[in-house]
mmCIF file of all heavy atoms in Angstrom:
data_model
loop_
_atom_site.group_PDB
_atom_site.id
_atom_site.type_symbol
_atom_site.label_atom_id
_atom_site.label_comp_id
_atom_site.label_asym_id
_atom_site.label_seq_id
_atom_site.Cartn_x
_atom_site.Cartn_y
_atom_site.Cartn_z
ATOM 1 N N ALA A 290 132.010 100.497 59.556
ATOM 2 C CA ALA A 290 133.233 99.710 59.424
ATOM 3 C C ALA A 290 133.711 99.272 60.804
ATOM 4 O O ALA A 290 133.581 99.999 61.774
ATOM 5 C CB ALA A 290 134.308 100.535 58.753
ATOM 6 N N ARG A 291 134.244 98.067 60.871
ATOM 7 C CA ARG A 291 134.788 97.560 62.128
ATOM 8 C C ARG A 291 136.287 97.416 61.986
ATOM 9 O O ARG A 291 136.775 97.023 60.937
ATOM 10 C CB ARG A 291 134.192 96.201 62.450
ATOM 11 C CG ARG A 291 132.715 96.269 62.741
ATOM 12 C CD ARG A 291 132.221 94.912 63.169
ATOM 13 N NE ARG A 291 130.785 94.975 63.345
ATOM 14 C CZ ARG A 291 129.988 93.959 63.201
ATOM 15 N NH1 ARG A 291 130.476 92.795 62.875
ATOM 16 N NH2 ARG A 291 128.705 94.076 63.387
ATOM 17 N N PRO A 292 137.029 97.677 63.037
ATOM 18 C CA PRO A 292 138.483 97.515 62.953
ATOM 19 C C PRO A 292 138.841 96.034 62.885
ATOM 20 O O PRO A 292 138.182 95.192 63.479
ATOM 21 C CB PRO A 292 138.993 98.159 64.228
ATOM 22 C CG PRO A 292 137.850 98.086 65.184
ATOM 23 C CD PRO A 292 136.609 98.189 64.334
ATOM 24 N N VAL A 293 139.883 95.712 62.170
ATOM 25 C CA VAL A 293 140.366 94.347 62.058
ATOM 26 C C VAL A 293 141.159 94.031 63.315
ATOM 27 O O VAL A 293 141.965 94.829 63.772
ATOM 28 C CB VAL A 293 141.245 94.189 60.793
ATOM 29 C CG1 VAL A 293 141.817 92.786 60.712
ATOM 30 C CG2 VAL A 293 140.442 94.520 59.550
ATOM 31 N N THR A 294 140.941 92.840 63.879
ATOM 32 C CA THR A 294 141.577 92.490 65.145
ATOM 33 C C THR A 294 142.915 91.810 64.966
ATOM 34 O O THR A 294 143.566 91.474 65.933
ATOM 35 C CB THR A 294 140.664 91.565 65.964
ATOM 36 O OG1 THR A 294 140.391 90.409 65.188
ATOM 37 C CG2 THR A 294 139.388 92.252 66.335
ATOM 38 N N GLY A 295 143.337 91.536 63.778
ATOM 39 C CA GLY A 295 144.625 90.894 63.568
ATOM 40 C C GLY A 295 144.463 89.628 62.738
ATOM 41 O O GLY A 295 143.419 89.362 62.149
ATOM 42 N N ASP A 296 145.527 88.826 62.695
ATOM 43 C CA ASP A 296 145.554 87.607 61.912
ATOM 44 C C ASP A 296 144.704 86.531 62.604
ATOM 45 O O ASP A 296 144.964 86.131 63.731
ATOM 46 C CB ASP A 296 146.999 87.126 61.758
ATOM 47 C CG ASP A 296 147.081 85.877 60.896
ATOM 48 O OD1 ASP A 296 146.134 85.621 60.113
ATOM 49 O OD2 ASP A 296 148.094 85.163 61.003
ATOM 50 N N LEU A 297 143.679 86.064 61.921
ATOM 51 C CA LEU A 297 142.786 85.060 62.477
ATOM 52 C C LEU A 297 143.037 83.673 61.887
ATOM 53 O O LEU A 297 142.283 82.752 62.147
ATOM 54 C CB LEU A 297 141.329 85.469 62.227
ATOM 55 C CG LEU A 297 140.910 86.818 62.812
ATOM 56 C CD1 LEU A 297 139.475 87.135 62.447
ATOM 57 C CD2 LEU A 297 141.098 86.839 64.305
ATOM 58 N N SER A 298 144.096 83.517 61.113
ATOM 59 C CA SER A 298 144.345 82.236 60.466
ATOM 60 C C SER A 298 144.672 81.139 61.479
ATOM 61 O O SER A 298 144.480 79.964 61.209
ATOM 62 C CB SER A 298 145.478 82.361 59.456
ATOM 63 O OG SER A 298 146.680 82.695 60.131
ATOM 64 N N ALA A 299 145.128 81.480 62.680
ATOM 65 C CA ALA A 299 145.449 80.479 63.695
ATOM 66 C C ALA A 299 144.197 79.809 64.248
ATOM 67 O O ALA A 299 144.282 78.796 64.929
ATOM 68 C CB ALA A 299 146.247 81.112 64.822
ATOM 69 N N LEU A 300 143.030 80.370 63.969
ATOM 70 C CA LEU A 300 141.797 79.771 64.444
ATOM 71 C C LEU A 300 141.416 78.532 63.639
ATOM 72 O O LEU A 300 140.651 77.713 64.108
ATOM 73 C CB LEU A 300 140.646 80.783 64.413
ATOM 74 C CG LEU A 300 140.792 81.959 65.378
ATOM 75 C CD1 LEU A 300 139.632 82.923 65.194
ATOM 76 C CD2 LEU A 300 140.852 81.468 66.803
ATOM 77 N N ARG A 301 141.927 78.395 62.439
ATOM 78 C CA ARG A 301 141.636 77.214 61.633
ATOM 79 C C ARG A 301 142.380 76.021 62.200
ATOM 80 O O ARG A 301 143.539 76.131 62.619
ATOM 81 C CB ARG A 301 142.053 77.430 60.189
ATOM 82 C CG ARG A 301 141.165 78.402 59.481
ATOM 83 C CD ARG A 301 141.512 78.376 58.033
ATOM 84 N NE ARG A 301 140.490 79.054 57.282
ATOM 85 C CZ ARG A 301 140.562 79.306 56.009
ATOM 86 N NH1 ARG A 301 141.626 78.932 55.327
ATOM 87 N NH2 ARG A 301 139.603 79.922 55.394
ATOM 88 N N ALA A 302 141.761 74.857 62.188
ATOM 89 C CA ALA A 302 142.364 73.658 62.760
ATOM 90 C C ALA A 302 143.670 73.296 62.071
ATOM 91 O O ALA A 302 144.624 72.883 62.723
ATOM 92 C CB ALA A 302 141.384 72.490 62.683
ATOM 93 N N LYS A 303 143.722 73.455 60.774
ATOM 94 C CA LYS A 303 144.943 73.063 60.056
ATOM 95 C C LYS A 303 146.116 73.976 60.383
ATOM 96 O O LYS A 303 147.255 73.612 60.173
ATOM 97 C CB LYS A 303 144.692 73.026 58.552
ATOM 98 C CG LYS A 303 144.446 74.378 57.926
ATOM 99 C CD LYS A 303 144.233 74.240 56.447
ATOM 100 C CE LYS A 303 144.108 75.599 55.795
ATOM 101 N NZ LYS A 303 143.974 75.510 54.355
ATOM 102 N N ASN A 304 145.871 75.181 60.896
ATOM 103 C CA ASN A 304 146.941 76.109 61.219
ATOM 104 C C ASN A 304 147.377 76.048 62.687
ATOM 105 O O ASN A 304 148.308 76.734 63.076
ATOM 106 C CB ASN A 304 146.519 77.540 60.884
ATOM 107 C CG ASN A 304 146.296 77.728 59.403
ATOM 108 O OD1 ASN A 304 146.864 76.994 58.580
ATOM 109 N ND2 ASN A 304 145.472 78.686 59.052
ATOM 110 N N ARG A 305 146.683 75.218 63.509
ATOM 111 C CA ARG A 305 147.020 75.129 64.926
ATOM 112 C C ARG A 305 148.151 74.153 65.163
ATOM 113 O O ARG A 305 148.375 73.243 64.374
ATOM 114 C CB ARG A 305 145.799 74.670 65.722
ATOM 115 C CG ARG A 305 144.755 75.740 65.837
ATOM 116 C CD ARG A 305 143.688 75.343 66.829
ATOM 117 N NE ARG A 305 142.407 75.754 66.258
ATOM 118 C CZ ARG A 305 141.303 75.071 66.307
ATOM 119 N NH1 ARG A 305 141.265 73.915 66.900
ATOM 120 N NH2 ARG A 305 140.200 75.528 65.780
ATOM 121 N N ALA A 306 148.823 74.318 66.295
ATOM 122 C CA ALA A 306 149.897 73.397 66.677
ATOM 123 C C ALA A 306 149.299 72.021 66.943
ATOM 124 O O ALA A 306 148.202 71.906 67.492
ATOM 125 C CB ALA A 306 150.612 73.914 67.919
ATOM 126 N N SER A 307 149.996 70.956 66.584
ATOM 127 C CA SER A 307 149.455 69.607 66.716
ATOM 128 C C SER A 307 149.530 69.088 68.147
ATOM 129 O O SER A 307 148.790 68.196 68.523
ATOM 130 C CB SER A 307 150.194 68.645 65.787
ATOM 131 O OG SER A 307 151.573 68.621 66.123
ATOM 132 N N THR A 308 150.425 69.591 68.966
ATOM 133 C CA THR A 308 150.511 69.119 70.350
ATOM 134 C C THR A 308 149.796 70.108 71.262
ATOM 135 O O THR A 308 150.064 71.305 71.230
ATOM 136 C CB THR A 308 151.982 68.996 70.802
ATOM 137 O OG1 THR A 308 152.608 70.256 70.661
ATOM 138 C CG2 THR A 308 152.710 67.937 69.997
ATOM 139 N N PRO A 309 148.884 69.588 72.063
ATOM 140 C CA PRO A 309 148.174 70.501 72.963
ATOM 141 C C PRO A 309 149.102 70.966 74.075
ATOM 142 O O PRO A 309 150.066 70.274 74.422
ATOM 143 C CB PRO A 309 147.043 69.646 73.523
ATOM 144 C CG PRO A 309 147.508 68.235 73.367
ATOM 145 C CD PRO A 309 148.410 68.220 72.172
ATOM 146 N N PRO A 310 148.823 72.111 74.636
ATOM 147 C CA PRO A 310 149.655 72.607 75.738
ATOM 148 C C PRO A 310 149.508 71.676 76.944
ATOM 149 O O PRO A 310 148.493 71.002 77.087
ATOM 150 C CB PRO A 310 149.096 73.995 76.029
ATOM 151 C CG PRO A 310 147.719 73.975 75.483
ATOM 152 C CD PRO A 310 147.736 73.021 74.337
ATOM 153 N N PRO A 311 150.524 71.602 77.809
ATOM 154 C CA PRO A 311 150.428 70.724 78.976
ATOM 155 C C PRO A 311 149.295 71.179 79.890
ATOM 156 O O PRO A 311 149.033 72.382 80.019
ATOM 157 C CB PRO A 311 151.790 70.873 79.663
ATOM 158 C CG PRO A 311 152.336 72.160 79.151
ATOM 159 C CD PRO A 311 151.762 72.355 77.790
ATOM 160 N N PRO A 312 148.617 70.213 80.514
ATOM 161 C CA PRO A 312 147.502 70.596 81.392
ATOM 162 C C PRO A 312 148.010 71.332 82.631
ATOM 163 O O PRO A 312 149.108 71.054 83.123
ATOM 164 C CB PRO A 312 146.868 69.264 81.785
ATOM 165 C CG PRO A 312 147.932 68.236 81.562
ATOM 166 C CD PRO A 312 148.794 68.772 80.458
ATOM 167 N N VAL A 313 147.216 72.242 83.075
ATOM 168 C CA VAL A 313 147.553 73.020 84.263
ATOM 169 C C VAL A 313 147.097 72.217 85.477
ATOM 170 O O VAL A 313 145.963 71.736 85.531
ATOM 171 C CB VAL A 313 146.840 74.394 84.227
ATOM 172 C CG1 VAL A 313 147.118 75.185 85.493
ATOM 173 C CG2 VAL A 313 147.258 75.166 82.998
ATOM 174 N N ALA A 314 147.968 72.039 86.434
ATOM 175 C CA ALA A 314 147.625 71.281 87.635
ATOM 176 C C ALA A 314 146.621 72.068 88.462
ATOM 177 O O ALA A 314 146.799 73.260 88.712
ATOM 178 C CB ALA A 314 148.879 71.002 88.457
ATOM 179 N N ALA A 315 145.567 71.371 88.859
ATOM 180 C CA ALA A 315 144.543 72.008 89.688
ATOM 181 C C ALA A 315 145.054 72.132 91.110
ATOM 182 O O ALA A 315 145.779 71.267 91.595
ATOM 183 C CB ALA A 315 143.269 71.179 89.667
ATOM 184 N N PRO A 316 144.702 73.202 91.789
ATOM 185 C CA PRO A 316 145.129 73.344 93.180
ATOM 186 C C PRO A 316 144.494 72.242 94.025
ATOM 187 O O PRO A 316 143.393 71.786 93.728
ATOM 188 C CB PRO A 316 144.620 74.723 93.583
ATOM 189 C CG PRO A 316 143.525 75.024 92.625
ATOM 190 C CD PRO A 316 143.865 74.298 91.363
ATOM 191 N N PRO A 317 145.159 71.788 95.073
ATOM 192 C CA PRO A 317 144.578 70.737 95.910
ATOM 193 C C PRO A 317 143.307 71.234 96.582
ATOM 194 O O PRO A 317 143.214 72.389 96.988
ATOM 195 C CB PRO A 317 145.668 70.437 96.940
ATOM 196 C CG PRO A 317 146.553 71.636 96.929
ATOM 197 C CD PRO A 317 146.454 72.235 95.557
ATOM 198 N N VAL A 318 142.334 70.338 96.667
ATOM 199 C CA VAL A 318 141.047 70.688 97.261
ATOM 200 C C VAL A 318 141.006 70.136 98.670
ATOM 201 O O VAL A 318 141.256 68.947 98.885
ATOM 202 C CB VAL A 318 139.891 70.108 96.415
ATOM 203 C CG1 VAL A 318 138.551 70.437 97.061
ATOM 204 C CG2 VAL A 318 139.952 70.636 94.999
ATOM 205 N N ALA A 319 140.719 70.984 99.612
ATOM 206 C CA ALA A 319 140.614 70.549 101.002
ATOM 207 C C ALA A 319 139.322 69.769 101.178
ATOM 208 O O ALA A 319 138.291 70.118 100.594
ATOM 209 C CB ALA A 319 140.618 71.770 101.928
ATOM 210 N N PRO A 320 139.347 68.691 101.955
ATOM 211 C CA PRO A 320 138.109 67.934 102.167
ATOM 212 C C PRO A 320 137.086 68.793 102.899
ATOM 213 O O PRO A 320 137.434 69.570 103.784
ATOM 214 C CB PRO A 320 138.542 66.738 103.008
ATOM 215 C CG PRO A 320 139.850 67.124 103.600
ATOM 216 C CD PRO A 320 140.463 68.135 102.678
ATOM 217 N N VAL A 321 135.840 68.631 102.507
ATOM 218 C CA VAL A 321 134.760 69.403 103.113
ATOM 219 C C VAL A 321 134.363 68.724 104.413
ATOM 220 O O VAL A 321 134.091 67.529 104.437
ATOM 221 C CB VAL A 321 133.543 69.481 102.158
ATOM 222 C CG1 VAL A 321 132.395 70.219 102.813
ATOM 223 C CG2 VAL A 321 133.947 70.144 100.861
ATOM 224 N N ALA A 322 134.360 69.479 105.478
ATOM 225 C CA ALA A 322 133.968 68.926 106.772
ATOM 226 C C ALA A 322 132.460 68.729 106.801
ATOM 227 O O ALA A 322 131.698 69.611 106.395
ATOM 228 C CB ALA A 322 134.399 69.878 107.882
ATOM 229 N N GLU A 323 132.046 67.569 107.266
ATOM 230 C CA GLU A 323 130.612 67.292 107.356
ATOM 231 C C GLU A 323 130.074 67.953 108.610
ATOM 232 O O GLU A 323 130.772 68.062 109.616
ATOM 233 C CB GLU A 323 130.380 65.793 107.384
ATOM 234 C CG GLU A 323 130.805 65.138 106.089
ATOM 235 C CD GLU A 323 130.145 63.795 105.898
ATOM 236 O OE1 GLU A 323 129.114 63.537 106.538
ATOM 237 O OE2 GLU A 323 130.658 63.028 105.101
ATOM 238 N N PRO A 324 128.821 68.412 108.543
ATOM 239 C CA PRO A 324 128.246 69.057 109.722
ATOM 240 C C PRO A 324 128.166 68.070 110.888
ATOM 241 O O PRO A 324 128.032 66.868 110.692
ATOM 242 C CB PRO A 324 126.852 69.496 109.260
ATOM 243 C CG PRO A 324 126.574 68.731 108.022
ATOM 244 C CD PRO A 324 127.899 68.345 107.432
ATOM 245 N N ALA A 325 128.257 68.596 112.097
ATOM 246 C CA ALA A 325 128.236 67.753 113.283
ATOM 247 C C ALA A 325 126.916 66.988 113.383
ATOM 248 O O ALA A 325 126.896 65.820 113.730
ATOM 249 C CB ALA A 325 128.453 68.607 114.527
ATOM 250 N N GLU A 326 125.816 67.652 113.095
ATOM 251 C CA GLU A 326 124.509 67.014 113.142
ATOM 252 C C GLU A 326 123.762 67.324 111.865
ATOM 253 O O GLU A 326 123.880 68.407 111.306
ATOM 254 C CB GLU A 326 123.692 67.551 114.318
ATOM 255 C CG GLU A 326 124.162 67.090 115.667
ATOM 256 C CD GLU A 326 123.225 67.568 116.769
ATOM 257 O OE1 GLU A 326 122.041 67.822 116.487
ATOM 258 O OE2 GLU A 326 123.687 67.709 117.898
ATOM 259 N N LYS A 327 122.981 66.359 111.408
ATOM 260 C CA LYS A 327 122.131 66.619 110.258
ATOM 261 C C LYS A 327 120.935 67.439 110.713
ATOM 262 O O LYS A 327 120.461 67.298 111.843
ATOM 263 C CB LYS A 327 121.623 65.308 109.652
ATOM 264 C CG LYS A 327 122.599 64.619 108.761
ATOM 265 C CD LYS A 327 121.905 63.470 108.079
ATOM 266 C CE LYS A 327 122.660 63.050 106.852
ATOM 267 N NZ LYS A 327 121.965 61.998 106.131
#
Side-chain angles (χ1 to χ4, degrees):
R291 294 185 184 152
V293 177
T294 58
D296 182 21
L297 301 177
S298 64
L300 294 177
R301 289 189 167 174
K303 68 179 185 177
N304 296 335
R305 287 190 221 140
S307 60
T308 58
V313 177
V318 178
V321 177
E323 295 201 20
E326 288 185 25
K327 279 188 160 184

